[in-house]
Amino acid sequence: MSEGMTTSAWRPRSAWAGVARAGRHGRLQGEAGVRLTLGDGMGLATLIAADGQETALRQILTDRFGWSLPEPGGANVVGERGLVWSAPGQWLAIAETRHALDGLAEAVRGLAAVTDQSDARALVRVSGPCARMALSKGLTIDLHPSAFRTGQSAVTSIAHIGAQIWQRNEAPAYDLTVARSFADSFWSWLDHAAAEFGYEVVGTSGH
Amino acid sequence: MTTITLRRSEAGTAAVSPGRNQAFRTATGGLINRQRPLDFSFDGVRHLGFEGDTLASALLANGVRLVGRSFKYHRPRGILSAGSEEPNAIVELRTGARREPNTRATVAELYDGLEAQSQNRWPSLKYDALAVNAFAAPVFAAGFYYKTFMWPAAFWEKFYEPMIRRAAGLGRAANAPDPDTYDKAHAFCDVLVIGGGPAGLSAALAAGRSGARVILVDEDHQLGGRLLSERREIDFRSGADWAQEAVAELESMSEVRILSRTTLFGVYDHGAYGAVERVSDHLAVPSAHAPRQRLWRITAKHAVLAAGAIERPHIFGGNDRPGVMLAGAVRAYLNRFGVLPGRRVAIFTSGDDGWRTVADVAAAGGQVVAVIDSRSSVSPNLRREAEAVGARVIAGGYVSGTKGHLALKAIDVVDTYGSSETIACDCLAMANGWNPIVHLDSHLSRRPVWNEVIQAFVPGALPSGMAAVGASAGRLTLAECLKTGAQAGAEAALALGFAAAARDTLKTDPEGIAHTPLWRVAKPKGKAFVDFQNDVAASDVELAHREGFRAIEHLKRYTTLGMATDQGKTSNLAGLSIMAELTGQAIPSVGTTVFRPPFTPVAIGAFAGHHRGKEFRATRHVPSHAWCEEQGAVFVETGLWLRPAYFPVAGENDWMQTVNREVNTVRSKVGVCDVTTLGKIDIQGRDALALIERACANPFGTLAVGKARYAVLLREDGFVMDDGTIARMSDTHFVMTASTANAAKVMQHLEFCHQWLWPDLDVQMVSISEQWAQYAVAGPHARDTLRDVIDPGFDIGNEAFPFLACADVTVGGGIPARLFRISFSGELAYELAVPAAYGDAAWRAIMQAGSQYGITAYGSEALSVMRIEKGHAAGAEINGQTTARDIGLGGMLAKKKDYVGRLLKERPALTDPDRPILVGFHPVDPAQRLRAGARFLAVGASPSLEADEGYMTSVAYSPSLGHWIGIGLIRRGPKRHGERVRAYDPVRSADIEVEICSPVFVDPKEEKLRV
Amino acid sequence: MRIRCSHCGERDNGEFSYLGDATLARPDGMEADAAAMYDYVYLRDNLAGEHRELWYHGAGCRAWLVVTRDTRTHTISDVSPARDVARTRRTGEAA
Amino acid sequence: MRYSVFSVLGQALRGQRDWKPQWRDAAPRTEYDVVIVGGGGHGVATAYYLAKEHGITNVAVLEKSHIGSGNVGRNTTIVRSNYGLPGNIPFYEQSMKLWESLEQDINYNAMVSQRGVLNLYHSDGQRDAYARRGNAMRMAGIDAELLDRDGVRAMVPFIDFDNARFPVKGGLLQRRGGTVRHDAVAWGYARAADQRGVDIVQNCAVTGIRRDNGRVVGVETSRGFIRAKKVALSVAGSTSLLASMVDMRLPIESHVLQAFVSEGVKPLIDTVMTFGAGHFYVSQSDKGGLVFGGDIDGYNSYAQRGNLATIEDVMEGGMALWPGLGRLRLLRHWGGIMDMSMDGSPIIDRTGIDGLYLNAGWCYGGFKATPAAGFCFAHLIARDAPHADAAAYRLDRFATGHLIDEKGMGAQPNLH
């Protein structure tokens, strides 16, 4: 199936297509306070442990993928791959491309249900000196280093839109996802929130 | 008393001469920038002020004392205070769409070009026609309107009420869309310090030095609180200098955030606080990308309340005359703003604190004409100091009345022997003690308690994690403010595990706070006001007492005392004290008023933030949205979704023409519709089927892999919750759809069933609504169209893939997809699900593939027409008031399993054979139009509730039949096919005869969908 | 109001939706009778005081929670995952 | 003294000296024919109609605080009879008719202002649901008009027609709906009941309900035992607490509903308007403040205050509908405790206990019902049979399925 995909004439459309424009926006003076990198084409899948199978699942993920299953509120992401805690017994698996997760369902059969979500989310990486302040306009969780650090994640909402966020590094940089159908509205909020700091958009804007 | 000179602004002396009319500006002094003159206007007259001024201080500097008219009697009013408690000096600030009525001049920062107007007067502030009300004051006593305006009854709305409404109200709202933007932010801290005066600064320093995360909030633009307004000394420097150093130190701490121009307006449960930051209100217009205001939601582990205290006025005749001010305000104007509130100042005090005004007036070049102290015994030192500057001292006396029309000219003073005299003055400073600000600590339903020493309410027991300090805790001296603040800051930090180091006690100059409040003067001359803004006088409190309104809430509501924009900050206790006197009770026995948020009024826009206009709620777009936009689709809001409603093409000039074409094309050729908005839930696991069986009212045990089935869910009360389909992808894997409107609700319900009702079921459930774009391809050529979209090798023919089949397929050369043979339209139809990123491509591929068959895109309107033609229930029928039986689904309910809603659906009223049941309707005259919402009644019956037999739920013009059709609920419907009834629709002036028929109008034998 | 989700930590109450009394047990199975079901669906103690109640962390981890909260003061003394509470209860019933 | 323009003018000349308390602050006697628990609007109205309609004057209203200290003084003052279900329609219309003659009846100006109640709709589905409701009203002889967009624009031109997330498409208007000065209703009824001999007893908390042989014989109070032939509960917000004194569980939860008032401004809006796409409704008081509200906070509560999430939700609704509100300031917000019933409709019925009567479950609609609730409850107490207009408000309807669920939300009180 996966081999077939590479030959497809169909082009995927980025969740940000027609929504985000690359370049500098908002306040133009000085360094941009917020840097927004658009994620695209990543592989995402929900992984839900069957009752009583969490230990076995943990083992197999380590053995087969080198992944460790994060605790509640955790995110074990290295580079563009890893697992982000989403709910009790439930994680979001992340990989560079949608195909990179192709073998996951088979590998954990009987231990966990795997559901492809590669298309379900719009992902943006938020960094820059004012990233925290900009995000705090919509997020109702505390991003201060004493409360939220690299390797931590949260499922929450941002400006009435459901969101999942995890911290990638101490810069800090955050990966933030919202449901795909909300991309336009989410961006409108993000623009409003980041404009006073000046922000720069990097990455694809779709075809 | 040590006298300390305030830090003078650098260019105080000669560089800039006082502005054109700043006749009352002192030559030097004040925390204003005399190098930055600011142009402003009041009632169209231009004046100059300085940076650092408030509108009130700038007006006083220019000798403007009359600033408004009172609410009821339109009495001339001036400036009473220098802070946010101001009841009198409220103006309309700005113009046009930015006009802000009821703005307190005492806290409005001056900016260049500021325009303000007085309000509640006509034609002008000086000559206000409604000032005649003052002569009718004997009639307009508290509550007079409850006793009259009743005859004739019809006159209320037409005459009395409009008259009262026009006279009432204060300023005029702009009532144009607010051109500015608002922002929200969420902040978290260990210690929240509310108030940036000496107590708050001390608390913030103590907590901040420990490393705790501190947020310090102050409503002023400059921190320091009363230190800015008093000539006080801390550790041998001026209080203002000390405050500046404290702020500098706080600013150097990385974990301390200072929010100035920010009012902490409300305390909510579990450490949640609301604050509003006036980001741009000190500017003519906000700068680019900056909001006007920002609403802060602060979550704090501990809070230190250091909000200060509010000075109390005296209650005597004419105490509302412009020129009568709080003594602390007089000192604020003198010391902080370099303004003389009057040249000849009298002081009326009931405590030592008021005497502080004497030296300040003198130092600023004013004349103190008299000090009237209601206490008969006055300290010789105070007396000596006053007499040294030429003031008369009248101990044991009181001010009984005032003279002057638009401004104070003299006061009537009664001395201790009862003889009265008149003393000329243009400013009277009142000092009757201070009321701690106990507002915030009572937001969580805590009652303040009475403190005999300071004769005021102080915070009672506070919720854990909250401490009150300084003046707001009734610790009124500067030394106590510094001490209690530092203590509470350190304690809060310690409690949270931060090591807080104790510092040396700060030295302050001595101060006297001896005080014996005078709740009201014995014999006032003229109306003695308690609530200035609402024109509630002492006599109104007496009337309320006479009429039995003695409980504090009764007093407030009957007289409106404390209900004005200042919420009684200067009047509540005065009202209480008079009632106490009248009822012979102690003040706390009368009651305490309940302080409600917000502390001071907050712009509604700030609460809404970004969420207004189009951004009120998020908009969800379907995967085909870009194509729909390209095609000029007309969209419709469906919950949060924006769905294409129909797709007009050239030559079509009304929506019905378009929809008819779409329906006809589907029924004769093929069409495609974006149904992504349906909720989609992935259900896997050993017990997936068991959960489905318990959640759904119809049986699923027999559902084979590769098959889909209609599903109906009931609420536990037996009414229909939602319907959808469930497809079995494997033994342990199901995909369920829910209606667009109920998608989230169904997901929540299934989680409830799983987590709470049947926790032992091993089920893994997740929403896949966003993962899959889902398109209905319907019509005789649906299969032909899809054959070109689905990869070769998948047999979607009728035998291999019959009605209600489902399967995994691939499209576009290897892209995984799901195909369901289900039909909402009644045609041969499929729903194709593709990964959402390929939704756009898939849609275009379907349009391309179907073009040879004349495919059309169809929207929610055509979808709705076709489902009505097929008699399928949707939102209008599944409205929470209908049972499965009501909507014709009774027959499919399972009999041999337990499921949600099983028992209660059998209640007598729900199985009553007389209940309205879903049937079809068509107009007897085919030319007539049907309307949903019409009520059914027998032909010839006269309309009444008893005659009501049900109502039309959904209607459509059926292009297939060439006339309007409807479905609806009518008593015993299925037994009445062929009967004629009236569809009565008086709200749209319609009343037509309809015939009851089967709800399935098209292809009742379902031949089309099984081919 | 802030609720400390058993899984996510403290969140604003806007992230949750409320269902109600968590001390009620659904009369399960074909043997259950309508009177018991009526009682379960409609009647409430509606306590003024400590109240065990169901909340759903819909904008978070989608867990149902049993929150013990004083309805007079809103003070929350305990939050537990509903599924754990329900399992324990069923075990208790079985025992 | 009878209230009139003449007495007001007369007293103006006498320095308002001769006014008497509007009702006696009665001390409780040892026995009454009827004891009404709860001195809110419903309680005093019930006492008034017991006296006026049924000649029963040996009545006490027991109020734990002062008259009108509960929801009658905390609501957003709206009155209307625009209901859609047959169980509700005659009752609320009776209430509306009583409002229309109230002031002359009780000689108290409660400022009944029939300025219209306009419910906006934003979709075809909502329009049809309003048509369904409006048609039912019209069939019952009640005024209802379905306005289109232009009709709405003529009434409230300042709302957002051009940039709205959920554009306004029209509205259902009941012109006879409007507002009433809430406190005055409680005071006016208390005064009128008092004049007919009813004892208004304030600061008297009921702590127990005494029974003898399954029959109520009186109430224990903070001021002693009071014997009564009949006891009538009218304590919305606290109903379950009183019911628990006789071991009764009810289909009711107590929830907090917040209300809001802005600073006073000159007249802006002269109707009552309800947003159909968010939680917001608004009118303007005669004093100038915009009075507005939204949804309940949604959790059981006996604390008279709410939280920020709901406040923001209401304000967002307000700004979305009426962008000119931005610079107007919120002056005060507060919470009241509602009896939220399981189908969103009230209960006026006997209980399983002889001599104990129940008036409860008003959700957030009790104020508009005050006159009819008093009228029908008095009827029930006096005759031991329900008044025809309130016959549907039975306590057993949840068991029989005769629900009166206007919103179709089912047995979840916080959704009604």
Side-chain angles (χ1 to χ4, degrees), chain B residues 200-240:
Chain B
L201 287 171
S202 301
L205 282 171
R209 284 169 184 157
S210 77
R213 287 169 75 190
V214 175
I215 295 177
L216 171 61
V217 177
D218 193 89
E219 60 181 358
D220 211 329
H221 68 275
Q222 191 174 352
L223 273 68
R226 289 289 314 163
L227 291 176
L228 308 179
S229 297
E230 306 280 5
R231 297 187 303 155
R232 298 303 306 273
E233 179 185 346
I234 301 174
D235 269 3
F236 312 107
R237 50 207 187 289
S238 81

Side-chain angles (χ1 to χ4, degrees), chain B residues 542-543 546-547, chain D residues 1 10-20:
Chain B
E542 289 168 350
L543 177 61
R546 205 169 295 141
E547 295 197 84
Chain D
M1 192 186 316
Q11 284 305 309
L13 301 173
R14 289 192 197 83
Q16 315 280 352
R17 280 193 314 268
D18 303 335
W19 297 115
K20 295 284 176 294

Side-chain angles (χ1 to χ4, degrees), chain B residues 866-1002:
Chain B
M866 288 188 281
R867 72 101 187 165
I868 294 168
E869 288 181 332
K870 290 298 295 178
H872 291 313
E877 290 75 32
I878 301 177
N879 59 10
Q881 299 169 323
T882 49
T883 65
R885 187 172 152 271
D886 295 345
I887 55 172
L889 304 177
M892 68 163 61
L893 301 188
K895 303 205 167 40
K896 293 180 181 157
K897 65 168 185 179
D898 187 28
Y899 55 88
V900 174
R902 177 179 68 92
L903 282 169
L904 292 191
K905 76 175 191 309
E906 302 299 334
R907 283 177 287 174
L910 306 193
T911 50
D912 184 348
D914 208 31
R915 259 180 97 82
I917 293 184
L918 191 74
V919 285
F921 297 87
H922 62 81
V924 171
D925 171 1
Q928 282 188 306
R929 176 177 183 161
L930 300 184
R931 304 254 189 204
R935 316 288 312 202
F936 299 124
L937 66 163
V939 176
S942 70
S944 72
L945 280 184
E946 293 68 36
D948 185 24
E949 297 196 49
Y951 63 98
M952 192 84 83
T953 53
S954 301
V955 300
Y957 177 80
S958 167
S960 315
L961 300 177
H963 60 76
W964 283 82
I965 57 170
I967 54 176
L969 300 158
I970 189 167
R971 294 189 188 285
R972 304 176 309 283
K975 295 189 176 144
R976 297 169 65 180
H977 287 189
E979 197 182 315
R980 290 181 178 184
V981 292
R982 279 164 74 188
Y984 181 63
D985 186 26
V987 295
R988 285 169 294 204
S989 309
D991 182 4
I992 61 172
E993 220 169 283
V994 293
E995 187 174 305
I996 302 173
C997 59
S998 158
V1000 186
F1001 292 91
V1002 168

Side-chain angles (χ1 to χ4, degrees), chain B residues 17 42 73 115 170 201 232 245 258 263 274 282 335 340 357 508 516 528 572 635 724 759 767 773 807 873 942 1008:
Chain B
S17 64
F42 179 66
Y73 306 126
E115 290 177 64
L170 290 158
L201 287 171
R232 298 303 306 273
E245 285 167 33
I258 298 174
T263 302
H282 60 295
N335 297 327
L340 274 167
T357 319
T508 58
T516 308
N572 281 334
F635 293 91
S767 167
S942 70
K1008 298 178 81 171

Side-chain angles (χ1 to χ4, degrees), chain B residues 695-732:
Chain B
C696 297
N698 53 328
F700 279 85
T702 55
L703 183 66
V705 172
K707 284 289 188 177
R709 181 175 291 171
Y710 179 76
V712 54
L713 285 84
L714 306 187
R715 300 188 309 228
E716 196 68 277
D717 67 357
F719 291 85
V720 180
M721 173 188 284
D722 197 32
D723 66 345
T725 57
I726 293 177
R728 189 166 198 170
M729 311 308 289
S730 81
D731 259 359
T732 56

